[in-house]
């Protein structure tokens, strides 16, 4: 009997020891878990807890206004309305986006495709579903907000062009930053930001763009805004004053009409550009908000290349304008005088090729003044031969000409 009692005591002690060890292990694991959650992931869960009550909405800073030389507005900003979605507050994203498309009269499949293509974003940041909606669509969204959990409306600035297509290629346009551009400028931009893609908008991007602020709002369990907790104001972009004159620019474009060409009007005393016109052009208002795919494809495939600024991006033979430069070069080098005469028979033979004057019968004997007045080609063919290629190249560089060689230019 005593032996049996002794065994029972040993067995009971062993069980108590096991229970104590298990309790210590459990408490140790619990403490380790608490340390892990609070010490390692504490800030993360604190942010999650805070974001269940608050939302920080990044705002878009308005770009600077573009004026002409007289202070008239050429490009300004207008309010645009983006319908966005907070994924954390949306039980079924696809269902909500589809319902939103039906409410606004859009194609649900197209809206879903566009949304999936752009929905990458940081946690608790709104994802744009419908950019730049009309006021009618905005009213429909507001009326049906109870059916659209997680859907919010953000007011963002968009470009507006009071003069429609005036100087469209000169101003250029802004569009959402591309993936490559974002990788090169990750410290200054975020996904979804607008950036100048061409023209003045691109050239002066660092000055025209502003600095975004934010609004911190308190929300309820459904994501509905209950009040504002804090705000950081935007810093508006710097305004830009061009030397362009609105009236001169308008007159130049009207003179070009539907022809393909370019007009550059310069103030001789200062070198300021008064007009930089190129036709055919496009309606700048197409880029005021979200550009429709069909409009973008039409602009890119148009054989007239309306997006090309012919005054800057095309190469043309200088024509008779170069005669003034050759005259200056000849006089300055002492190779001719105002009285130097040439006999124009209507053409000039150089090697195997004959170059004709615009007056096929010829101008007869002309001096420098008469040659300039009558724009005699033969006089300046001979002067060019006298100057030589090295002298011509020197004076072209002195006057800021960009030397380009093309077979078409050479043929002319």
């Amino acid at each position: 009997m005593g032996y049996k009692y002794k065994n029972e005591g040993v067995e009971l002690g062993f069980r108590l020891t096991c229970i104590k060890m298990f309790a210590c292990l459990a408490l140790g694991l619990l403490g380790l878990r608490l340390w892990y959650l609070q010490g390692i992931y504490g800030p993360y869960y604190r942010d999650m807890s805070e974001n269940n009550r608050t939302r920080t909405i990044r705002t878009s800073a308005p770009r600077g206004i573009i004026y002409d030389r007289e202070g008239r507005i050429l490009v300004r900003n207008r309010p645009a309305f983006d319908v966005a979605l907070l994924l954390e507050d949306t039980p079924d994203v696809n269902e909500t986006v589809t319902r939103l498309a039906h409410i606004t009269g859009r194609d649900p499949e197209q809206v879903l495709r566009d949304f999936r293509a752009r929905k990458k974003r940081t946690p608790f940041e709104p994802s744009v579903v419908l950019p730049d909606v009309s006021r009618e669509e905005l009213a429909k969204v507001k009326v049906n907000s109870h059916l659209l959990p997680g859907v919010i409306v953000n007011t963002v600035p968009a470009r507006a062009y009071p003069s429609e297509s005036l100087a469209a290629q000169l101003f250029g346009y802004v569009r959402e930053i591309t993936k490559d551009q974002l990788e090169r400028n990750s410290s200054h931009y975020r996904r979804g930001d607008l950036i100048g893609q061409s023209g003045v908008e691109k050239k002066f991007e660092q000055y025209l763009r502003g600095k975004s602020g934010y609004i911190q709002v308190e929300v309820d369990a459904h994501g509905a805004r209950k009040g504002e907790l804090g705000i950081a104001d935007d810093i508006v972009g710097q305004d830009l004053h061009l030397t362009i004159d609105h009236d001169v620019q308008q007159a130049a474009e009207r003179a070009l009409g539907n022809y393909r060409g370019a007009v550059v009007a310069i103030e001789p005393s200062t070198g300021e550009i008064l007009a930089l016109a190129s036709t055919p052009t496009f309606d700048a208002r197409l880029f005021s908000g979200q550009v429709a795919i069909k409009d973008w494809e039409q602009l890119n495939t148009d054989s007239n290349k309306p997006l090309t600024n012919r005054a800057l991006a095309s190469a043309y033979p200088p024509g008779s304008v170069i005669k003034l430069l050759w005259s200056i070069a000849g006089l300055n080098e002492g190779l001719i005088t105002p009285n130097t005469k040439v006999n124009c028979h209507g053409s000039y033979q150089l090697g195997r090729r004959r170059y004709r004057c615009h007056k096929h019968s010829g101008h007869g004997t002309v001096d420098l003044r008469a040659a300039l007045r009558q724009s005699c080609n033969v006089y300046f063919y001979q002067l060019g031969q006298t100057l030589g290629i090295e002298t011509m190249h020197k004076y072209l560089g002195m006057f800021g000409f960009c030397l380009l060689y093309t077979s078409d230019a050479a043929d002319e």
Side-chain angles (χ1 to χ4, degrees), residues 29 77 100 146 174 180 391 396:
L29 291 174
N77 299 301
L100 179 61
H146 61 287
V174 295
D180 291 340
T391 303
L396 285 169

Side-chain angles (χ1 to χ4, degrees), residues 116-183:
R116 288 167 182 160
R118 70 166 74 92
K119 75 173 185 177
K120 292 181 180 179
R121 85 306 179 234
T122 57
F124 299 103
E125 180 182 343
S127 295
V128 176
V129 183
L130 299 177
D132 196 16
V133 298
S134 66
R135 294 184 182 274
E136 181 181 352
E137 291 172 321
L138 177 63
K140 292 178 180 178
V141 172
K142 289 291 188 180
V143 169
N144 294 279
S145 60
H146 61 287
L147 301 174
L148 302 168
V151 171
I152 63 173
V153 176
N154 291 332
T155 304
V156 296
R159 280 315 217 185
Y161 305 87
S163 300
E164 300 178 0
S165 62
L166 185 76
Q169 295 103 333
L170 172 62
F171 301 141
Y173 58 88
V174 295
R175 294 192 72 188
E176 185 174 332
I177 191 169
T178 65
K179 181 179 179 181
D180 291 340
Q181 290 171 331
L182 185 61
E183 290 175 353

